[in-house]
Amino acid sequence: MLDLIAAGAGEVIRWEDLGLRNGIDLGFFTLRFYSLAYLAGIFLGYWHLSRMIREPGSPMAQRHADDLFFYCTLGIIIGGRLGYATFYQPELWGSTDIFKLWEGGMSFHGGLIGTTLAMIFVSWRNKLSLIRVGDYVSVNVGFGMLFGRLANFVNGELWGRPAGPDVPWAMIFPSDPLGLPRHPSQLYEAGLEGLLVMVVMLALFWRTTARFRPGLLVGVFVTLISLGRFTAEFFRSPDVQLAEFAARTGLNMGQWLTIPLILAGLGLVVWALMRPPLVATTPPPAPEPSSA
């Protein structure tokens, strides 16, 4: 990042001069960093969740974490892609391009819906508290958001609005037909939706008793990541097919979809703080009995 700012102090930064590639060429196949980012976020989240459930008061056992890993992965991928097709590029419906995940095009809101459905299913099947499962899962989402937004930058996609000379880190992206210096909004989102969310959520779980107030962690997460997304959208160019919608309504599609989430997150925080905390010695669910 310091190199980008230093380069920008002399002249406009060009994305192609940064030496970035969108994947690893294996000869017969290109392994996309976009796909690797999703995998890294999912596996790191699973590893960290497995550590979390060893602490006192866990609402689940390892077998439940394993189920969540599988079904949430499906929810992220399927929900994210279908959400993108629904909210941002409806012409993907009915086209085989909808399966080309390696080309990018995933919706945060679609992934959130898919993950929520996965948590509902796992909680219902195992008779777990949905709100507490959501608390534990929410602590780990920042990993994937950070890697995903960095992958957007590496891909040179989802660049921001035109930036003036007062933004020394503005850069020109090769996919921009106008060739204008723009905000690297992917990095703003990586910081707000990824790094900031990670720092706050990890601190709340490991340094406070927030996990003993059902709904508090997931409420803080939803509020924080939604506010981050809403803020970053002011610097991000709307999708080409939705530019007219953004100009007509004054807000990007992502911002309109985020407003209800901000309200829901704040409501969850208030609800959680008004209820008495759980006893810190609540035992975790018993592991699945092994068959002899």
Side-chain angles (χ1 to χ4, degrees):
M1 177 60 73
L2 293 178
D3 292 340
L4 297 182
I5 296 176
E11 58 182 19
V12 176
I13 305 168
R14 292 185 176 274
W15 181 90
E16 60 264 31
D17 294 337
L18 300 178
L20 300 175
R21 298 178 300 163
N22 63 4
I24 302 173
D25 188 1
L26 301 177
F28 63 95
F29 179 73
T30 299
L31 188 58
R32 301 285 183 178
F33 289 127
Y34 192 83
S35 302
L36 290 176
Y38 271 85
L39 292 176
I42 291 170
F43 278 101
L44 183 56
Y46 170 69
W47 169 81
H48 186 255
L49 177 62
S50 297
R51 286 194 59 196
M52 292 169 62
I53 62 178
R54 299 173 195 162
E55 297 298 309
S58 172
M60 69 186 88
Q62 184 62 49
R63 61 190 172 91
H64 304 130
D66 296 342
D67 280 351
L68 284 168
F69 168 69
F70 176 73
Y71 289 107
C72 284
T73 298
L74 291 180
I76 291 169
I77 296 174
I78 298 175
R81 188 57 171 173
L82 297 185
Y84 181 80
T86 301
F87 300 133
Y88 297 96
Q89 200 169 343
E91 59 269 22
L92 285 175
W93 289 103
S95 169
T96 57
D97 289 344
I98 198 170
F99 299 106
K100 297 180 179 179
L101 303 179
W102 56 89
E103 294 184 354
M106 298 286 281
S107 164
F108 160 71
H109 299 89
L112 180 62
I113 293 172
T115 303
T116 301
L117 292 175
M119 289 190 296
I120 291 173
F121 175 71
V122 173
S123 299
W124 168 78
R125 191 172 73 167
N126 295 282
K127 297 181 174 58
L128 302 176
S129 167
L130 175 60
I131 194 69
R132 299 209 66 219
V133 169
D135 281 335
Y136 274 61
V137 171
S138 67
V139 176
N140 301 286
V141 179
F143 299 125
M145 295 302 298
L146 174 62
F147 294 146
R149 294 312 182 191
L150 290 176
N152 290 146
F153 179 74
V154 171
N155 278 355
E157 62 186 4
L158 303 183
W159 24 261
R161 299 177 186 271
D166 57 329
V167 183
W169 54 86
M171 61 184 65
I172 297 176
F173 292 88
S175 55
D176 176 15
L178 300 179
L180 298 175
R182 295 181 178 272
H183 287 278
S185 58
Q186 314 97 319
L187 299 181
Y188 302 171
E189 291 182 281
L192 292 172
E193 301 172 24
L195 185 59
L196 178 61
V197 170
M198 283 172 50
V199 170
V200 172
M201 297 303 295
L202 291 175
L204 283 175
F205 184 86
W206 292 106
R207 299 295 182 184
T208 75
T209 59
R211 67 179 180 272
F212 297 111
R213 288 188 173 274
L216 181 57
L217 286 171
V218 70
V220 171
F221 163 75
V222 171
T223 302
L224 197 59
I225 199 169
S226 300
L227 285 172
R229 176 63 183 268
F230 189 89
T231 301
E233 286 280 352
F234 283 113
F235 302 96
R236 176 177 168 178
S237 288
D239 294 73
V240 175
Q241 67 274 19
L242 293 176
E244 182 182 349
F245 172 84
R248 186 174 69 253
T249 64
L251 295 175
N252 289 355
M253 174 65 80
Q255 290 175 305
W256 284 113
L257 294 174
T258 299
I259 290 175
L261 293 178
I262 296 174
L263 298 176
L266 290 173
L268 267 175
V269 170
V270 173
W271 177 81
L273 291 176
M274 292 178 63
R275 293 167 58 85
L278 300 176
V279 178
T281 56
T282 303
E288 188 77 31
S290 57
S291 56

